Amino acid sequence: QNQQPQKVTSNWFKWVENYGAKINNDLVYDKNSAMITIRQQSGIFVFNNQIAFPYFPKITQFNKANPITGNLESLINFFPSSIDSLKKEKIHFEPLYYSSNKSGKQSDRFYIDAVNAAKTLRYSEQKILLGATITGEFKSLFDNNSIPFDEGNKTHLNSGSARFVILGDGNIFNDNYITNSGNDNITFILNTFD
């Protein structure tokens, strides 16, 4: 019932920062969350119990002006991290969705206790950014750096106009999570490709 998550280390974060967004090394939790089923034992009896799991925030705070999130009612994130804008020149950063007004973050040391989480966490933050788009003309991360591989193709160091969707949830596209999250998660995923 207790888990000790590990920080993710990847060059992916440097790549995202080059284009104007930062995925923070934290774990966001929210009082408005999805339910999970856990097994509990009382004496010789074992039973299933549904509890709110704050590390699966149920998102209801959307940017209604953006076509990706404009018609969504809710969205489930799974162990998300927060996102910040790095305010790059010629890059437009647009928030897509936030946590609720009763949320918080763990950083440095992560500890997940499924049974007691809802009672022990401090919900002192509000509207933590969890999804955004960045649009503009992007300068390649490899413009002044060596290109890790080049198979004789001409590498484009500038994009022209492009758009990225940046999410603090790396599991949202995972089949195991999609099937248990409802239609709004599927609608969100499809909207990102329209």
Side-chain angles (χ1 to χ4, degrees):
Q1 309 273 350
N2 299 326
Q3 299 292 324
Q4 185 76 40
Q6 302 296 316
K7 291 182 180 182
V8 174
T9 55
S10 171
N11 289 334
W12 172 252
F13 299 112
K14 182 179 177 184
W15 185 84
V16 171
E17 287 178 17
N18 181 69
Y19 297 115
K22 181 177 182 190
I23 301 172
N24 297 307
N25 207 341
D26 55 20
L27 183 59
V28 176
Y29 54 87
D30 199 318
K31 191 127 180 126
N32 186 27
S33 57
M35 303 293 278
I36 63 168
T37 302
I38 62 168
R39 297 187 124 204
Q40 291 183 307
Q41 186 168 349
S42 179
I44 62 169
F45 299 102
V46 176
F47 56 94
N48 292 330
N49 191 16
Q50 279 208 321
I51 61 169
F53 190 59
Y55 300 101
F56 289 1
K58 184 174 184 180
I59 308 302
T60 57
Q61 305 270 338
F62 296 105
N63 176 353
K64 293 295 187 180
N66 189 291
I68 296 173
T69 53
N71 293 323
L72 295 179
E73 293 180 22
S74 67
L75 179 70
I76 305 296
N77 274 202
F78 308 96
F79 304 109
S81 295
S82 63
I83 298 172
D84 289 324
S85 169
L86 297 179
K87 301 194 186 328
K88 298 262 184 175
E89 190 176 321
K90 297 183 182 179
I91 302 297
H92 176 69
F93 183 94
E94 183 179 9
L96 288 177
Y97 61 86
Y98 302 89
S99 68
S100 76
N101 290 333
K102 292 185 177 181
S103 53
K105 294 184 267 189
Q106 285 185 4
S107 55
D108 298 325
R109 295 188 70 219
F110 303 113
Y111 182 73
I112 296 175
D113 178 357
V115 177
N116 297 310
K119 295 179 262 180
T120 59
L121 295 171
R122 293 187 180 152
Y123 299 98
S124 58
E125 297 186 53
Q126 55 186 334
K127 291 188 79 174
I128 300 169
L129 182 61
L130 299 172
T133 63
I134 48 177
T135 310
E137 294 186 16
F138 299 99
K139 184 177 176 182
S140 172
L141 174 64
F142 306 111
D143 192 21
N144 292 320
N145 300 310
S146 63
I147 299 172
F149 57 87
D150 189 355
E151 299 174 359
N153 299 324
K154 184 175 180 181
T155 303
H156 296 281
L157 298 179
N158 294 305
S159 70
S161 183
R163 179 184 322 180
F164 293 102
V165 176
I166 307 296
L167 306 175
D169 175 7
N171 293 310
I172 200 163
F173 291 95
N174 183 313
D175 285 344
N176 293 331
Y177 292 95
I178 290 173
T179 56
N180 295 315
S181 60
N183 290 335
D184 278 340
N185 276 40
I186 294 169
T187 301
F188 172 77
I189 292 166
L190 294 173
N191 287 350
T192 62
F193 293 105
D194 274 350

